[in-house]
């Protein structure tokens, strides 16, 4: 068993690391992959326990700025002891490979649940959203901004009893960025985040803080209730980014018939284009949404009602207007744009 994996194998074929040893971990199977990293199920050889092992893409590991940020923020994230944040056991580097070892959570992510079941019952969506909000507020108290809150980073496992049927973990805190004076871009001018859930200030490269995550959480909760994110533009990335910055969010009541009208006002505030106009904390947003749905927040809603089309008639496929001059450098970073 080699302790020095071939990075070219990792780059070209992530499954080539199965059976290899990274630091004190034996890679057993691949769980998932994204633009920055691949996550494996691995065995901690020292403590004989199963962990989730995230290996960072080699090109990131070669970036000195990223390496320093990764080390610092992984340590900060590891200090957050919160029931809805995946615990980080260790973060380090071995033979040029950056890695994070964290608790292995058995269960699907919210993305898989939405793809399988469609819109969630109101009570379920609110329970999940509230747990994520609690995790985000705890991170913000440590001056950490997640910047990539999305269904794929929300793990859902079995809860403790009938009053708490789900237990939610927010993951990927090892790739966050400290909030003060930092933007939604990396030093190479790349986005950190997922376009469907990205706050306007993150898109435009302005400084971000906790209300950036609140916007993303609102997008996730909206999708949990209606089956699709608030803005959808038929794979037109430029039009989607424009919508986040300038278009009002579609009505929640129109896309989920039977929703209390007050919920529209709550969602509009959470999805405000101006961070200061949003709620002060993520839990404040979720409390307002629960109040809008009523104290029962789920009575008669355990079966999802018919939901309007994911592509409202108001969405047109006409090319969006050109961005203002100040925003053009931002849009030039996007695939398929000048």
């Amino acid at each position: 068993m080699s302790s020095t994996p071939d990075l070219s194998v990792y780059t070209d074929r992530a499954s080539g690391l199965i059976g290899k040893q990274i630091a004190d971990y034996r890679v057993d199977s691949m769980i998932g992959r994204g633009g920055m990293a691949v996550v494996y199920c691995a065995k901690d050889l020292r403590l004989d326990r199963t962990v989730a092992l995230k290996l960072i893409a080699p090109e990131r590991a070669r970036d000195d700025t990223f390496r320093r940020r990764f080390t610092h923020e992984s340590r900060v994230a590891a200090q957050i002891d919160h029931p809805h944040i995946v615990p980080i056991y260790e973060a380090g580097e071995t033979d040029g490979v950056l890695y994070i070892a964290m608790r292995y959570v058995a269960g699907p992510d919210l993305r898989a649940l939405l793809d399988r079941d469609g819109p969630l019952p109101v009570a379920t969506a609110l329970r999940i959203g509230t747990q994520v909000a609690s995790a985000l507020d705890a991170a913000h108290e440590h001056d950490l901004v997640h910047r990539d809150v999305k269904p794929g980073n929300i793990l859902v496992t079995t809860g403790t009893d009938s009053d708490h049927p789900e237990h939610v973990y927010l993951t990927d805190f090892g790739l966050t960025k400290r909030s003060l004076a930092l933007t939604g871009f990396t030093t190479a001018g790349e986005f950190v985040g997922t376009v469907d859930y990205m706050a306007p200030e993150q898109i435009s490269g302005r400084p971000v803080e906790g209300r950036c995550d609140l916007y993303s959480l609102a997008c996730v909760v909206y999708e949990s209730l209606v089956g699709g994110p608030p803005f959808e533009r038929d794979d037109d990335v430029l039009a989607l980014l424009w919508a986040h910055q300038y278009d009002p969010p579609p009505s929640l009541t129109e896309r989920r018939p039977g929703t209390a009208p007050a919920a529209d006002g709550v969602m509009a505030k959470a999805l405000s284009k101006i961070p200061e106009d949003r709620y002060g904390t993520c839990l404040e947003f979720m409390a307002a949404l629960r109040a809008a749905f009523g104290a029962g927040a789920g009575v008669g809603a355990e079966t999802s009602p018919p939901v309007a089309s994911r592509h409202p008639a108001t969405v047109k496929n006409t090319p969006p207007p050109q961005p203002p001059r100040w925003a053009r450098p931002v849009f030039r970073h996007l695939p398929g744009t000048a």
Side-chain angles (χ1 to χ4, degrees):
M1 183 182 298
S2 171
S3 62
T4 309
D6 182 353
L7 288 185
S8 65
V9 171
Y10 169 56
T11 305
D12 300 332
R13 191 175 68 257
S15 59
L17 285 185
I18 294 175
K20 304 288 185 179
Q21 184 175 331
I22 306 292
D24 294 303
Y25 305 92
R26 186 191 69 229
V27 177
D28 289 338
S29 62
M30 187 170 70
I31 299 173
R33 63 185 305 167
M36 281 190 177
V38 181
V39 182
Y40 297 91
C41 178
K43 176 69 73 175
D44 183 336
L45 299 176
R46 296 165 301 178
L47 299 177
D48 192 28
R49 64 179 172 183
T50 299
V51 302
L53 184 68
K54 173 173 289 191
L55 302 184
I56 310 305
E59 58 270 22
R60 299 286 181 184
R62 290 191 287 268
D63 182 328
D64 288 340
T65 300
F66 181 89
R67 288 158 64 96
R68 289 193 298 271
R69 179 166 66 87
F70 168 85
T71 301
H72 173 73
E73 295 190 7
S74 295
R75 289 173 178 169
V76 174
Q79 294 170 9
I80 304 176
D81 183 11
H82 190 275
H84 299 298
I85 294 177
V86 174
I88 294 176
Y89 298 143
E90 182 184 13
E93 177 184 356
T94 180
D95 299 313
V97 177
L98 293 173
Y99 66 90
I100 306 175
M102 64 194 86
R103 175 179 292 171
Y104 174 77
V105 178
D109 58 39
L110 182 58
R111 173 79 277 141
L113 289 182
L114 293 173
D115 288 344
R116 185 189 70 192
D117 300 334
L120 302 177
V122 170
T124 303
L126 295 181
R127 284 195 303 266
I128 290 174
T130 299
Q131 293 180 56
V132 175
S134 176
L136 288 170
D137 283 351
H140 299 160
E141 291 176 0
H142 286 76
D143 195 28
L144 282 178
V145 181
H146 192 287
R147 298 196 314 157
D148 197 17
V149 179
K150 60 183 180 182
N153 282 336
I154 298 169
L155 307 179
V156 184
T157 188
T158 303
T160 55
D161 52 51
S162 59
D163 291 331
H164 306 87
E166 314 88 12
H167 188 93
V168 170
Y169 289 97
L170 183 62
T171 189
D172 256 6
F173 270 99
L175 292 177
T176 58
K177 198 167 187 177
R178 293 184 68 80
S179 61
L180 299 179
L182 294 172
T183 72
F185 288 92
T186 66
T187 54
E190 302 168 279
F191 279 120
V192 173
T194 304
V195 176
D196 284 333
Y197 316 97
M198 191 177 289
E201 63 271 24
Q202 198 172 354
I203 293 170
S204 63
R206 288 174 284 163
V208 300
E209 39 88 32
R211 279 171 286 202
C212 164
D213 287 340
L214 192 155
Y215 181 97
S216 300
L217 173 63
C219 289
V220 170
V221 173
Y222 189 103
E223 181 173 1
S224 298
L225 290 168
V226 309
F231 300 107
E232 298 177 278
R233 294 300 184 266
D234 294 328
D235 298 323
D236 188 333
V237 177
L238 179 59
L240 181 54
L241 293 178
W242 182 275
H244 276 295
Q245 294 194 90
Y246 302 110
D247 292 352
S251 168
L252 184 63
T253 55
E254 289 180 6
R255 295 182 68 180
R256 181 154 185 156
T259 298
D264 275 342
V266 173
M267 197 63 70
K269 181 178 175 70
L271 293 174
S272 172
K273 310 301 181 185
I274 302 172
E276 291 76 15
D277 289 344
R278 299 172 200 152
Y279 292 94
T281 68
C282 296
L283 280 174
E284 184 183 346
F285 156 57
M286 289 306 304
L289 192 59
R290 293 184 70 89
F293 275 101
V299 175
E302 285 309 318
T303 57
S304 301
V307 176
S309 169
R310 290 185 58 180
H311 301 280
T314 55
V315 176
K316 299 180 180 179
N317 291 323
T318 54
Q322 286 296 311
R325 185 178 299 277
W326 62 265
R328 289 175 189 172
V330 175
F331 285 89
R332 279 202 294 269
H333 290 294
L334 301 172
T337 62

